[in-house]
Amino acid sequence: MKLTSLGSRTKALAVIGTVTAATAVLGAAAPAQATSAASYAAAVCGSGFSPDSNGVFSLDGGTIYVSYNGSTDCAVLMKSAYVGTATNTWVFIEHANGAGGGYGGPDNNGDDDGWYTTYAGPVYVYAPHECIEVGGGTVVGNDAAWPSVMCG
């Protein structure tokens, strides 16, 4: 039976039923998506990277996730505000105490600053069993983590 042969009330109920079913499917996926943000960021870093549970730094406009592959740390800032809209978003990584050594990003210096819709990074530093600094920011309230130190 074609939908066009039904009355307008039946059409409206059919549309509501379709929207309700789609919402139920999307709603069921939301908690899994929320818990996988760190895993997604690790995948952005590349094959072999795993999320570091100590490397999660929340900002008003996003979260910095640090991942590790046994010798190299990687940082990605995932936006939580203005997702899908290009806004200035940045992330950096380096050896602790401003010692540099980061790579990745447009200048290959461990700093990725640009107009991004979803995330900034990945940026990397080779630092096995060393302390690192990570930081970043978004356009939301000039919020920034500058710097946060991790040792491991």
Side-chain angles (χ1 to χ4, degrees):
M1 177 186 324
K2 290 185 179 179
L3 191 59
T4 55
S5 66
L6 301 174
S8 60
R9 181 175 176 177
T10 306
K11 287 181 194 177
L13 290 174
V15 170
I16 290 169
T18 302
V19 171
T20 302
T23 303
V25 169
L26 292 174
Q33 289 173 348
T35 59
S36 67
S39 296
Y40 180 80
V44 168
C45 291
S47 178
F49 280 88
S50 299
D52 184 331
S53 60
N54 295 317
V56 179
F57 304 96
S58 295
L59 309 169
D60 285 341
T63 303
I64 299 170
Y65 293 97
V66 177
S67 301
Y68 187 69
N69 75 355
S71 62
T72 302
D73 293 283
C74 172
V76 175
L77 189 152
M78 304 293 296
K79 291 173 55 173
S80 61
Y82 303 108
V83 176
T85 301
T87 60
N88 191 320
T89 307
W90 57 275
V91 65
F92 82 90
I93 193 168
E94 63 184 18
H95 291 278
N97 302 318
Y103 60 95
D107 296 327
N108 202 30
N109 63 357
D111 185 6
D112 188 12
D113 184 351
W115 290 78
Y116 299 115
T117 59
T118 309
Y119 60 85
V123 289
Y124 307 88
V125 65
Y126 177 78
H129 309 292
E130 297 177 26
C131 296
I132 63 165
E133 294 178 350
V134 296
T138 69
V139 297
V140 178
N142 293 322
D143 191 18
W146 184 276
S148 297
V149 177
M150 292 180 54
C151 297

